[in-house]
Amino acid sequence: MSDVLWDLCDVSLGRSPARRLDRVSLVVRSGLTAVIGPSGAGKTSLLNLLARFERADDGKLTSHLSDDGERLSLAWVPPDFGLWPHLSVREHLQSVAPVGTSTSDVAALLTDLGLGELADADVGRLSQGERSRLAVARALCSDPAVLVMDEPLVHVDPVSLDGYWRAIREHCRQRETSLVFSTHSPEAVLREASQVICMDEGHVSFAGSVETLYAEPPSPRLARFLGPANWFGADETACWLPLGTAPEDGGNVENSGVCVRPERLDIIPTNGDGLRVRSSRQIGGLVESELEHEPTRDVRTIVHRPGSEPLDTGMLVMLRLCAVLLMCLVWAGCQQSAAGPELPVTSTRTFKMPPDGSSVPAPRSLTVSRAGELYVLDNAGRVLVYTADGTLDRQWRMPEYDVGKPEGVCILGDGTVAVADTHYHRIVVFDAVGNVLRTFGELGEGPGQFIYPVAITRDDSGHVYVAEYGGNDRIQKFTESGEFVSTFGSFGTAEGQFQRPSGIVWMARGTASQAGAASSEVALQGRRSSGTLYIADAINNRVHVFSGDGEYQRTIVDSARESSVAVDYPYDIALGPDGSLFVVEYGAGRVTQVSREGELIGRYGGVGRGEGQFYTPWGLAVDAQGRVYVADTGNHRTVELSL
C-alpha cells in the first residue's frame, strides 16, 4: 500500500452557501491520524468521504487503498455504530472475521473490549457504551488495512477508556493497520495519534504532526485544539515573560506570538516588582491563576504547573520558563527518551482509580506495606489500599479535604498509616482500616508546627521525619507518637537548603532493603538509629543526604553540576531492595534510578499519555521484590513497573 491513503484536491461537500466541506485540499497518510475540531466543524463529513459513504460534490478525491482481495481495504465505525439488530454480540464478529479466524480469537477480542460476558446478548440489551465497543470490536475483527472511526468509544466511562484504547492500539500495531479517527478530546490525540487534522467550519485549519501542533502551533486558536496553552503576543512578552523566550526554548514566534504550554511554566513569588495574583485554583495536575500586570492594568489567566507554595491573593509573582520542552511526546513507533540507559522494565500493570462521583481522581502519593499492600493517596482526599494482585481492598477519606488535598503517606512501625495532611498543617495517623487514632501539628513556623507538610517517612528507631514547604522549607523530626524532636534545613539554594523538599526516604546503615518507608527486620537488630535520609529537593532539582540527626552530608544529584545526573523536578524518592534509589521526575515524566552515590543506573518513561509515558507524576514506591509503583497523576492512574 502506498504511504498516501487519500489525496483530496479542492473537495467540497454540500452546495454553497451551506457547504459542509469547502474546497478541502489534503493528503492523508498511513499511520495514526486524528481528526479534531468543534461540533459542526466537518469531521464526520470528511470521514464519510474517506469511507465512501458520501461522494464529493466538487473537487477530486483519489483513494490509494489496496483492493487486491487479500485483506479488507477499509473498515468503518460510523457515529451511529451501524449494528445489526438480528445478530448477537459474538455473531457480529463472526460475520466479518476472515477465513481462518478461530473462536478463541473472537473471544479474546470481545474480552479486550469488555464484552466477554455479553457474547450471547442481543444488541437491544446493550447500553450505548457497550454498543460503541461492539462497533469497534467488529471493525477490528474484520482485519482491515485501514480503520476509520467516527468518535469511537464516545459513550465509554473514563475509568475504562484507557484499557480499550490500549486494545485498539495493540491490534493496529500487530496488524500494521492504519487508523483515522475523529475526536473532541485533546488527550486522545496526544495519546493515540502521530498526525492530526484540525477542522474548523468546513475547512482544514491545520494538517501535520501532533508534535508540531503541540510545541509550535501557528495561532492561539490552533494551540487550544491540543489543550491548555498560554499565548503571548510580541508586544506582551516583555511584560509577562521578563526572562524572555526564544524558538529554541520551545516558543513559536510565527504570527508574532509565543506559545508556552503549562508544563513549561512556573509561577514563583518575588520580593520585587512583579505580577499580582488576583486568584488561583488547582485543576488536576495544573494550576489556573489570574494575574494582573500592575503598570498596564492588563489582566490575564495563566495555566501553569504547581509551584513551591500556593498563590495567595495579592502575592507578587513572576513567570519562569523551564529550560527544556517537557512535553516530549512519544509517537507511534518511538520508545523511551535517550537521556541515558533504559531501565530493564519487563512488564507494566495499571491500577485503575475508582471514580469519585462523576470524576476520576488522580493519585499523589504511594507507599507499600510489609505485607505488600499498596497504599495510594489521591487528590479527592482518599486513602486507597490495593492488595498485591491489584484488587482495591478498602478505602477511606481524610477527616477534612475541602480546603486542599493531602500529599504524603507512609506506614509506621506498628502498621498504622500516617498522612501528611498538607493544607490542614498536620499529620493524621489512622489504623489499618481508616479510623483516626491521633493528629499532631498545627499552622505555624515554630517547632512542631507546619506550613505545608508534603512528605513523610520513618527510620528504623521509630522516628518520623516530615518535609514541608511554603517558605518554611525544612525537615522536622518527631517520635511516632508526635512529640517534636528536632528540625533541620531551611529555604534557599545553598548546600543543605531546600525549595520544596517533596520526597524523603530513610536508608538504614548496613541494610539494602527498605521498600518505601518500611525498614527491614535485619536493620532493627543492632542498628536502630544509624542511617541516612535522602531528600528530593524539587525546585532546586537535586537530592540531598542528611544524617538522622539532621547533619548535612552531601548532595548526590544536582542538575546545576555538569558532572551530576540531571533531574527535572524530582517530586519523590524511594529505596530499592538493592540499596539503589528511584526518583520520579514531575517535569520529565520519568523514573530515574541512581546508586546511593548518585551514579545513573537507568531511566524509564517520558512525558505523555501512552504506555511507557507519565504526565506530571507526583509519587512513587518500591516493594520488597523491586517492583516500582508510579503515581501517574496527570494520567489519573497508578502504574506498576516490573524490573
Side-chain angles (χ1 to χ4, degrees):
M1 181 180 295
S2 168
D3 175 59
V4 175
L5 301 179
W6 293 277
D7 191 346
L8 290 76
C9 182
D10 288 335
V11 168
S12 296
L13 186 61
R15 295 298 179 182
S16 182
R19 286 181 170 175
R20 289 180 282 149
L21 295 177
D22 190 10
R23 299 180 64 84
V24 169
S25 293
L26 177 69
V27 174
V28 182
R29 301 186 180 276
S30 59
L32 307 175
T33 301
V35 182
I36 191 169
S39 297
K43 301 185 299 297
T44 293
S45 296
L46 176 62
L47 296 191
N48 284 348
L49 290 179
L50 302 185
R52 304 174 190 169
F53 184 66
E54 294 190 87
R55 293 183 179 275
D57 293 306
D58 291 299
K60 182 179 181 182
L61 188 156
T62 304
S63 171
H64 299 275
L65 304 187
S66 174
D67 197 18
D68 56 13
E70 294 185 4
R71 188 180 182 188
L72 186 67
S73 61
L74 181 144
W76 180 40
V77 178
D80 63 356
F81 315 136
L83 301 178
W84 301 308
H86 62 291
L87 297 183
S88 69
V89 169
R90 181 188 290 108
E91 289 169 343
H92 270 79
L93 273 65
Q94 291 173 333
S95 65
V96 300
V99 175
T101 302
S102 67
T103 56
S104 60
D105 290 338
V106 171
L109 192 51
L110 289 175
T111 299
D112 288 344
L113 272 298
L115 298 168
E117 296 182 358
L118 297 170
D120 296 318
D122 295 330
V123 171
R125 288 178 47 196
L126 303 183
S127 67
Q128 287 287 87
E130 291 163 347
R131 293 183 185 197
S132 68
R133 284 182 272 141
L134 176 56
V136 171
R138 178 182 61 181
L140 293 175
C141 192
S142 68
D143 190 29
V146 179
L147 178 59
V148 176
M149 300 196 295
D150 196 347
E151 294 193 47
L153 308 177
V154 67
H155 298 289
V156 173
D157 65 275
V159 176
S160 306
L161 191 59
D162 185 61
Y164 300 143
W165 266 113
R166 186 180 300 114
I168 296 171
R169 188 187 315 130
E170 182 62 19
H171 185 96
C172 290
R173 185 190 65 81
Q174 291 181 353
R175 297 297 301 154
E176 297 184 349
T177 299
S178 290
L179 171 63
V180 181
F181 69 97
S182 66
T183 182
H184 286 95
S185 169
E187 289 190 359
V189 178
L190 292 168
R191 185 179 58 237
E192 306 299 339
S194 57
Q195 299 291 314
V196 60
I197 299 167
C198 298
M199 300 296 300
D200 204 350
E201 297 182 348
H203 297 87
V204 174
S205 55
F206 178 90
S209 74
V210 176
E211 184 176 13
T212 298
L213 183 59
Y214 191 88
E216 302 176 15
S219 69
R221 180 172 175 80
L222 283 168
R224 290 191 290 272
F225 272 62
L226 292 189
N230 302 290
W231 188 276
F232 302 93
D235 57 344
E236 297 176 310
T237 55
C239 297
W240 292 93
L241 298 175
L243 299 184
T245 187
E248 60 266 26
D249 292 328
N252 174 32
V253 295
E254 185 179 350
N255 295 335
S256 301
V258 173
C259 177
V260 182
R261 292 290 178 179
E263 69 274 2
R264 293 198 58 237
L265 194 61
D266 289 326
I267 294 184
I268 57 176
T270 178
N271 294 324
D273 295 334
L275 309 168
R276 192 169 296 279
V277 177
R278 297 182 61 166
S279 66
S280 184
R281 61 176 183 150
Q282 186 149 351
I283 305 173
L286 300 175
V287 178
E288 183 181 88
S289 299
E290 187 179 74
L291 307 180
E292 178 181 0
H293 182 254
E294 291 191 320
T296 63
R297 298 298 183 185
D298 186 19
V299 176
R300 63 183 300 164
T301 299
I302 302 294
V303 185
H304 56 99
R305 61 186 188 177
S308 60
E309 60 183 278
L311 301 178
D312 297 325
T313 300
M315 180 183 289
L316 286 174
V317 297
M318 64 182 295
L319 305 187
R320 180 174 68 182
L321 290 172
C322 302
V324 295
L325 180 62
L326 298 176
M327 192 59 186
C328 300
L329 296 170
V330 181
W331 315 115
C334 245
Q335 294 299 325
Q336 328 300 336
S337 89
E342 292 184 8
L343 288 179
V345 175
T346 57
S347 64
T348 63
R349 179 171 56 156
T350 298
F351 290 71
K352 293 181 179 180
M353 298 295 295
D356 184 41
S358 60
S359 66
V360 179
R364 279 189 164 181
S365 182
L366 310 172
T367 194
V368 182
S369 71
R370 292 181 188 174
E373 290 182 316
L374 176 67
Y375 286 71
V376 179
L377 188 64
D378 74 11
N379 63 358
R382 303 182 299 180
V383 179
L384 311 168
V385 185
Y386 294 84
T387 61
D389 64 0
T391 301
L392 180 62
D393 181 67
R394 59 194 185 277
Q395 61 177 293
W396 65 85
R397 288 191 184 275
M398 298 296 294
E400 300 171 276
Y401 48 88
D402 291 336
V403 172
K405 308 307 188 293
E407 296 188 24
V409 60
C410 85
I411 310 297
L412 302 182
D414 59 0
T416 56
V417 184
V419 175
D421 199 2
T422 308
H423 296 277
Y424 290 89
H425 324 289
R426 64 188 179 187
I427 304 300
V428 182
V429 180
F430 300 90
D431 65 16
V433 294
N435 297 307
V436 176
L437 301 177
R438 61 186 179 275
T439 66
F440 60 90
E442 61 182 3
L443 177 62
E445 299 183 9
Q449 297 178 320
F450 302 111
I451 301 297
Y452 296 113
V454 290
I456 182 169
T457 193
R458 68 176 291 272
D459 66 18
D460 47 303
S461 63
H463 289 106
V464 174
Y465 300 83
V466 180
E468 64 175 306
Y469 78 96
N472 200 34
D473 299 35
R474 61 181 178 176
I475 310 298
Q476 294 195 69
K477 181 178 180 179
F478 299 85
T479 65
E480 283 200 354
S481 62
E483 298 173 356
F484 173 78
V485 176
S486 62
T487 182
F488 56 92
S490 61
F491 178 84
T493 60
E495 290 186 345
Q497 291 187 312
F498 308 108
Q499 289 194 81
R500 191 175 178 131
S502 59
I504 182 169
V505 68
W506 172 261
M507 182 186 292
R509 185 176 301 169
T511 180
S513 178
Q514 189 185 337
S519 56
S520 70
E521 295 299 325
V522 174
L524 292 172
Q525 301 173 5
R527 302 183 183 273
R528 299 196 61 83
S529 60
S530 180
T532 49
L533 290 164
Y534 290 82
I535 303 166
D537 184 12
I539 294 178
N540 288 328
N541 293 312
R542 58 192 182 185
V543 175
H544 293 307
V545 184
F546 283 80
S547 71
D549 295 327
E551 179 183 353
Y552 170 74
Q553 296 181 344
R554 63 191 185 279
T555 299
I556 62 166
V557 172
D558 189 348
S559 298
R561 300 199 319 255
E562 290 187 5
S563 59
S564 177
V565 175
V567 290
D568 191 345
Y569 272 60
Y571 252 41
D572 204 1
I573 187 167
L575 188 65
D578 61 352
S580 63
L581 296 157
F582 290 84
V583 177
V584 68
E585 299 179 55
Y586 177 99
R590 66 188 174 194
V591 175
T592 294
Q593 183 184 19
V594 298
S595 69
R596 66 186 72 184
E597 291 79 28
E599 299 167 338
L600 179 62
I601 296 174
R603 281 176 156 149
Y604 178 85
V607 180
R609 306 290 188 179
E611 294 182 40
Q613 298 175 304
F614 308 106
Y615 195 79
T616 61
W618 280 50
L620 85 166
V622 183
D623 68 12
Q625 286 70 48
R627 290 184 290 255
V628 180
Y629 300 89
V630 181
D632 188 8
T633 304
N635 287 323
H636 298 258
R637 63 190 179 189
T638 299
V639 179
E640 175 194 285
L641 309 177
S642 295
L643 304 180

